[in-house]
């Protein structure tokens, strides 16, 4: 469940409410934040099904006045490298000036009857800062249907270091609202650094 807010105590409480290894997640996130005041945060826990296994994942996004911090924690079952289940936690700290895009996609039902202020059915928050880029290429073509010339390639380069989907059906309306608030705070912060 996603939670957003602006205090260290609130962040810790949201991590604890997620119920997903809260001591481990909180320690990693708080170490990355350090002594900086928190402007906004979002905690999102999701469960996925992989063959015969259920896996949990939590993403914590934190916005300070100078940085965007993202933390991922995943649980792993025992395997050849470890006889017991284990979890991996990573944090990344990005200066706000490095964030190149904040994309918020909204999915609304019955768009012809949309009323401003109505929550979307789901939102997808995509944030790019240049750590990961994707290039989608396809053969280029001209308008001539019988043309056999080589026109090279065309495509798109997309920076999508993080993509987070929150839905009303899966996460609840409050989670969608909180994701919107975090996206707005992050967009405003990145605009202020330009």
């Amino acid at each position: 469940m996603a939670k957003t807010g602006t205090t260290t105590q609130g962040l810790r409480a949201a991590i604890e409410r997620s119920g997903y290894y809260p001591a481990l997640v909180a320690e990693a996130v708080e170490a990355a934040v350090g002594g900086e005041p928190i402007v906004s945060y979002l905690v999102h826990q999701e469960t996925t099904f992989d063959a015969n296994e259920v896996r949990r994942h939590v993403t914590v996004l934190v916005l300070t006045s100078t940085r965007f911090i993202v933390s991922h924690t995943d649980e792993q079952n025992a395997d050849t490298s470890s006889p017991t289940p284990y979890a991996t936690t990573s944090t990344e700290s990005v200066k706000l000036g490095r964030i190149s895009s904040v994309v918020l996609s909204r999915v609304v039902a019955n768009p012809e009857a949309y009323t401003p202020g109505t929550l979307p059915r789901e939102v997808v928050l995509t944030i790019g800062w240049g750590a990961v880029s994707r290039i989608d290429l396809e053969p280029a073509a001209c308008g001539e249907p019988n043309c056999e010339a080589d026109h090279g390639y065309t495509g798109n380069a997309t920076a999508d270091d993080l993509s987070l989907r929150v839905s009303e059906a899966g996460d609840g309306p409050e989670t969608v609202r909180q994701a919107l608030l975090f996206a707005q705070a992050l967009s405003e912060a990145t605009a202020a650094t330009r």
Side-chain angles (χ1 to χ4, degrees):
M1 172 174 272
K3 300 290 176 203
T4 189
T6 59
T7 68
T8 303
Q9 295 82 12
L11 173 59
R12 182 173 271 278
I15 290 170
E16 288 174 0
R17 277 192 302 276
S18 79
Y20 183 77
Y21 306 123
L24 174 65
V25 173
E27 181 179 53
V29 171
E30 289 169 0
V33 171
E36 275 194 89
I38 294 171
V39 174
S40 187
Y41 61 83
L42 180 66
V43 177
H44 182 258
Q45 193 235 327
E46 63 182 315
T47 303
T48 58
F49 301 93
D50 181 21
N52 295 330
E53 299 174 350
V54 176
R55 294 182 187 245
R56 295 181 299 167
H57 175 91
V58 67
T59 302
V60 179
L61 308 179
V62 179
L63 176 63
T64 71
S65 61
T66 62
R67 298 179 298 145
F68 165 68
I69 297 161
V70 59
S71 174
H72 295 286
T73 303
D74 291 288
E75 66 183 353
Q76 307 293 328
N77 291 323
D79 58 23
T80 57
S81 67
S82 175
T84 60
Y86 60 99
T88 57
T89 299
S90 64
T91 58
E92 183 173 1
S93 177
V94 181
K95 290 183 179 183
L96 288 178
R98 285 202 49 220
I99 295 179
S100 56
S101 66
V102 178
V103 179
L104 184 67
S105 300
R106 301 167 189 242
V107 177
V108 298
N110 302 315
E112 69 282 354
Y114 177 78
T115 303
T118 303
L119 285 178
R121 184 172 62 195
E122 72 179 55
V123 296
V124 178
L125 175 60
T126 305
I127 304 165
W129 58 90
V132 177
S133 294
R134 182 182 73 234
I135 298 176
D136 295 320
L137 294 176
E138 62 184 41
C142 67
E144 174 61 42
N146 297 322
C147 180
E148 295 182 15
D150 182 355
H151 295 286
Y153 288 88
T154 185
N156 296 309
T158 308
D160 58 351
D161 297 294
L162 174 77
S163 189
L164 186 71
R165 178 182 173 271
V166 177
S167 71
E168 184 179 31
D171 303 296
E174 185 57 30
T175 303
V176 173
R177 182 176 291 107
Q178 292 163 342
L180 291 170
L181 291 171
F182 183 84
Q184 181 177 350
L186 183 59
S187 290
E188 291 171 357
T190 57
T193 62
R194 306 263 181 244

